[in-house]
């Protein structure tokens, strides 16, 4: 595959194609145009779907060992080119080079886990004779590929979140069309190249670059699409759900994640975990710590330590190994964060550190005295801002934690098992991290939330369950058996 550094091709049903109409891909750090990708048309989307229908049949008939082999080749191909992938992530997106290197390693693991889970795609026998009159029946259920999947992915994890769609889809024997964010399409195209080089049959995978306004409705509404896997904002997810019709939906729609710090916690560990969880990827992380509830006996100490540690964060050049935090994905996003913070200050919030913008950069920011019903407290910030609040006890912390419409993940720091298990039982979140911040995740665990945080679960094995259908088989055996 030959490409210039500037003009890139998209991967349409196994073929690399240009288009006259293009989308500029910018480095958010300086506004430099680093590449141009095709702006796909509605006709491109229709073609991808038609070819994807054929690809679904091809994928369905691929033996398990072949799926495993291709996935392992993909992982090896990425492993041999880690530096290229990491630099691409860091250049087109918000992550620092250190954060990008970790994402590449996670992507490799995601693909390898997908290969392993492909061999575990099995059903169970059913005892039909548990009901009188069925003594001559035996059978089982088995899982089969669902067919053509459309995946829509965001900018904040431009490689690994794409891998979390493609890896399980291929492992389960499906075809898949991926529409990556127009802000960060290059990582997804690199991943498509890995599958191309690994020998994935044509028509099984498409990575289509284009504006949602041009191709989104076609991809979402087409009756041949059997499942939509979407990661993004609640409003976009709601719109997709209303248009999709009768098809499977898997949606990760963000969060407003709390962390609770009780007086018996390991305070230095809690501080380090919370700062990392709040400001990773410039806070553009659906699991990022947004609210911290601190027991009043230790509040002043924890507040001081959090502010001191946050002030040590090094903000600057993403490609510098010493940088802790880069810019937001666009200056527009940084302005949005700036307005949210300014609004909260007008409402009586107190600024403990940060609060300044420079282009697309926004300083790591800590607020306190934020009204619990304010916009910045109730909605997903998706930026480098964390809110501190003093609580009397665990009861109040749980009540305040649950007082939002999101429920993806939460953290609690305590050495008391009774408190930990009470939080596990009563907090309305898809994951509870004990003595860790809300942003902890490994790629093999079930990942998803409650309430407006989404539908279904990701994590390779669990995504495969979502991407397959159960089929029951029952044999009626002759009476002479």
């Amino acid at each position: 595959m030959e490409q210039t550094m500037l003009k890139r091709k998209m991967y349409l049903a196994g073929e690399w194609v240009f288009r006259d109409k293009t989308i500029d891909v910018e480095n958010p750090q300086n506004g430099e145009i680093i590449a141009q990708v095709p702006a796909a048309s509605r006709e491109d989307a229709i073609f991808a779907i038609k070819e994807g229908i054929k690809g679904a049949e091809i994928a369905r008939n691929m033996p398990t060992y072949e799926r495993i082999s291709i996935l392992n080749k993909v992982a090896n191909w990425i492993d041999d080119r880690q530096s290229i992938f990491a630099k691409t992530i860091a250049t087109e997106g918000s992550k620092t080079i250190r954060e990008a290197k970790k994402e590449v390693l996670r992507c490799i693991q995601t693909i390898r886990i997908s290969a392993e889970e492909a061999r575990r795609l099995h059903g169970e026998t059913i005892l039909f004779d548990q009901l009188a009159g069925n003594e001559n029946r035996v059978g089982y259920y088995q899982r089969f590929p669902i067919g053509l999947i459309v995946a829509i992915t965001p900018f904040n994890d431009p490689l690994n979140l794409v891998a979390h769609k493609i890896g399980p889809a291929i492992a389960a024997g499906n075809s898949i069309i991926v529409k990556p964010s127009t802000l960060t399409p290059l990582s997804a195209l690199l991943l498509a190249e890995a599958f191309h080089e690994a020998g994935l049959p044509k028509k099984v995978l498409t990575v289509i670059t284009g504006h949602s306004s041009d191709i989104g409705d076609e991809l979402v509404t087409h009756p041949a699409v059997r499942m939509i896997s979407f990661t993004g904002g609640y409003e976009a997810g709601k719109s997709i759900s209303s248009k999709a019709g009768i098809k499977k939906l898997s949606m990760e729609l963000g969060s407003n994640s709390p962390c609770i710090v009780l007086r018996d916690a390991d305070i230095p560990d809690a501080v380090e975990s919370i700062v990392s969880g709040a400001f990773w990827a410039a806070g553009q992380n659906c699991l990022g710590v947004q609210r911290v509830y601190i027991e009043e006996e230790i509040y002043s100490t924890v507040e001081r330590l959090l502010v001191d540690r946050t002030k040590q964060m090094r903000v600057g050049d993403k490609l510098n190994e010493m940088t802790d935090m880069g810019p937001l994905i666009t200056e527009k996003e940084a302005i949005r964060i700036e307005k949210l913070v300014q609004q909260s200050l007008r409402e009586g919030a107190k600024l403990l550190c940060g609060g300044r913008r420079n282009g697309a950069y926004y300083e790591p920011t800590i607020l306190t005295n934020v009204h619990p019903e304010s916009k910045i407290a109730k909605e997903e910030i998706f930026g480098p801002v964390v809110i501190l609040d003093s609580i009397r006890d665990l009861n109040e912390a749980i009540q305040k934690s649950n007082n939002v419409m999101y429920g993806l993940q939460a953290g609690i720091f305590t050495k008391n098992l009774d408190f930990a298990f009470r939080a596990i039982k009563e907090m309305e979140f898809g994951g509870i991290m004990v003595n860790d911040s809300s942003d902890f995740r490994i790629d093999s665990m079930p990942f998803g939330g409650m309430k407006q945080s989404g539908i279904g679960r990701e994590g390779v094995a669990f995504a495969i369950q979502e991407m397959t259908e159960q089929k029951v088989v029952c044999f009626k055996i002759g009476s002479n058996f």
Side-chain angles (χ1 to χ4, degrees):
M1 182 185 64
E2 295 182 3
Q3 297 187 139
T4 65
M5 183 63 182
L6 183 63
K7 197 162 186 178
R8 304 294 300 270
K9 298 177 181 179
M10 66 180 173
Y11 194 61
L12 193 61
E15 301 288 347
W16 294 99
V17 299
F18 284 125
R19 289 292 180 263
D20 292 335
K21 188 177 178 182
T22 59
I23 298 169
D24 290 341
V25 182
E26 295 184 6
N27 182 341
Q29 182 164 295
N30 52 24
E32 175 191 4
I33 298 174
I34 56 174
Q36 292 178 323
V37 297
S41 65
R42 178 175 177 271
E43 290 70 30
D44 289 324
I46 293 170
F47 177 80
I49 292 168
K50 288 181 177 179
E51 294 298 282
I53 295 168
K54 301 172 188 174
E57 190 63 27
I58 294 169
R60 179 185 296 270
N61 290 320
M62 286 172 60
T64 303
Y65 75 83
E66 189 175 339
R67 300 176 203 168
I68 293 171
S69 176
I70 288 171
L71 287 163
N72 280 325
K73 286 178 183 177
V74 169
N76 293 338
W77 200 87
I78 299 168
D79 200 6
D80 291 340
R81 295 161 180 80
Q82 287 190 39
S83 61
I84 296 171
F85 277 85
K87 188 172 181 180
T88 300
I89 293 168
T91 304
E92 70 172 342
S94 292
K95 287 188 172 179
T96 66
I97 191 65
R98 284 190 287 123
E99 292 170 334
K101 287 177 178 179
K102 289 182 180 179
E103 183 174 347
V104 175
L105 291 175
R106 283 188 59 191
C107 173
I108 294 168
Q109 184 181 50
T110 296
I111 299 299
R112 292 204 193 282
I113 296 170
S114 297
E116 285 299 309
E117 292 298 335
R119 70 175 82 247
R120 301 190 182 102
L121 192 57
H122 51 70
E124 293 183 7
T125 56
I126 302 169
L127 298 176
F128 285 94
D129 64 354
Q130 63 187 282
L131 180 64
N134 292 287
E135 291 82 0
N136 63 334
R137 285 182 171 88
V138 296
Y140 57 90
Y141 73 83
Q142 187 176 347
R143 304 200 75 90
F144 287 86
I146 194 169
L148 175 59
I149 298 168
V150 164
I152 302 171
T153 59
F155 69 83
N156 57 314
D157 285 295
L159 180 66
N160 193 41
L161 284 182
V162 177
H164 266 281
K165 315 290 188 186
I166 301 178
I170 301 303
N174 298 296
S175 62
I176 183 168
I177 299 169
V178 178
K179 196 205 90 62
S181 167
T182 55
L183 299 171
T184 56
L186 304 181
S187 299
L189 292 171
L190 266 181
L191 185 56
E193 185 175 353
F195 276 94
H196 182 84
E197 294 298 323
L200 182 71
K202 291 181 179 180
K203 307 181 191 297
V204 174
L205 172 64
T206 285
V207 175
I208 186 168
T209 55
H211 297 290
S212 295
S213 56
D214 295 328
I215 62 175
D217 281 358
E218 197 65 49
L219 295 175
V220 165
T221 62
H222 199 290
V225 174
R226 300 297 304 279
M227 176 180 177
I228 299 168
S229 179
F230 173 74
T231 302
Y234 170 74
E235 290 299 330
K238 183 179 178 182
S239 175
I240 289 170
S241 297
S242 68
K243 295 176 180 179
I246 304 299
K247 50 175 64 81
K248 265 195 170 185
L249 298 176
S250 176
M251 295 200 164
E252 195 276 282
L253 304 179
S255 189
N256 178 338
S257 296
C259 274
I260 298 169
V261 185
L262 300 181
R263 62 179 181 270
D264 66 337
D266 180 334
I267 292 176
D269 181 58
V271 167
E272 197 64 32
S273 296
I274 289 168
V275 171
S276 173
F279 304 122
W280 179 270
Q284 298 163 125
N285 174 12
C286 58
L287 296 174
V289 180
Q290 182 167 326
R291 297 170 290 148
V292 183
Y293 298 113
I294 307 162
E295 203 159 8
E296 56 191 10
E297 291 181 32
I298 58 168
Y299 179 85
S300 60
T301 299
V302 175
E303 179 192 277
R304 175 177 53 81
L305 292 173
L306 283 171
V307 170
D308 289 346
R309 181 66 185 87
T310 298
K311 287 180 177 179
Q312 295 171 21
M313 294 283 291
R314 293 161 295 196
V315 180
D317 181 7
K318 295 178 294 179
L319 296 181
N320 187 327
E321 290 278 355
M322 300 302 292
T323 298
D324 295 315
M325 199 184 89
L328 277 84
I329 191 64
T330 62
E331 184 173 6
K332 181 180 178 181
E333 279 296 290
I335 292 170
R336 180 183 65 81
I337 299 298
E338 182 180 41
K339 288 180 178 177
L340 270 176
V341 171
Q342 290 300 319
Q343 179 183 342
S344 73
L345 294 176
R346 289 193 298 271
E347 294 169 348
K350 180 181 177 183
L351 181 68
L352 298 179
C353 65
R356 291 187 293 269
R357 182 181 67 84
N358 180 14
Y361 284 89
Y362 195 83
E363 291 180 338
T365 297
I366 298 180
L367 299 171
T368 190
N369 199 40
V370 174
H371 193 282
E373 297 302 315
S374 68
K375 184 176 181 179
I376 202 168
K378 300 289 281 188
E379 298 185 4
E380 182 177 32
I381 297 174
F382 217 65
V385 179
V386 65
I387 298 166
L388 308 187
D389 192 8
S390 175
I391 45 96
R392 295 182 301 276
D393 53 26
L394 181 58
N395 289 339
E396 184 182 4
I398 292 173
Q399 183 273 322
K400 287 186 172 181
S401 294
N402 289 340
N403 190 33
V404 295
M405 288 309 298
Y406 294 101
L408 188 51
Q409 286 194 178
I412 179 171
F413 292 86
T414 180
K415 296 175 184 176
N416 187 310
L417 283 177
D418 290 341
F419 290 160
F421 277 100
R422 185 167 169 210
I424 292 165
K425 180 180 179 180
E426 296 183 13
M427 293 180 75
E428 298 169 349
F429 293 84
I432 308 294
M433 306 298 115
V434 181
N435 293 322
D436 222 329
S437 79
S438 59
D439 80 323
F440 176 77
R441 180 187 179 186
I442 64 170
D443 299 294
S444 58
M445 74 189 220
F447 178 70
M450 302 177 181
K451 299 187 285 190
Q452 290 184 1
S453 281
I455 303 168
R457 292 293 182 268
E458 291 199 340
V460 177
F462 308 93
I464 287 175
Q465 295 294 306
E466 302 278 354
M467 293 175 174
T468 53
E469 305 251 39
Q470 290 181 352
K471 186 179 292 187
V472 174
V473 178
C474 178
F475 292 89
K476 184 178 181 182
I477 302 168
S479 58
N480 295 326
F481 178 74

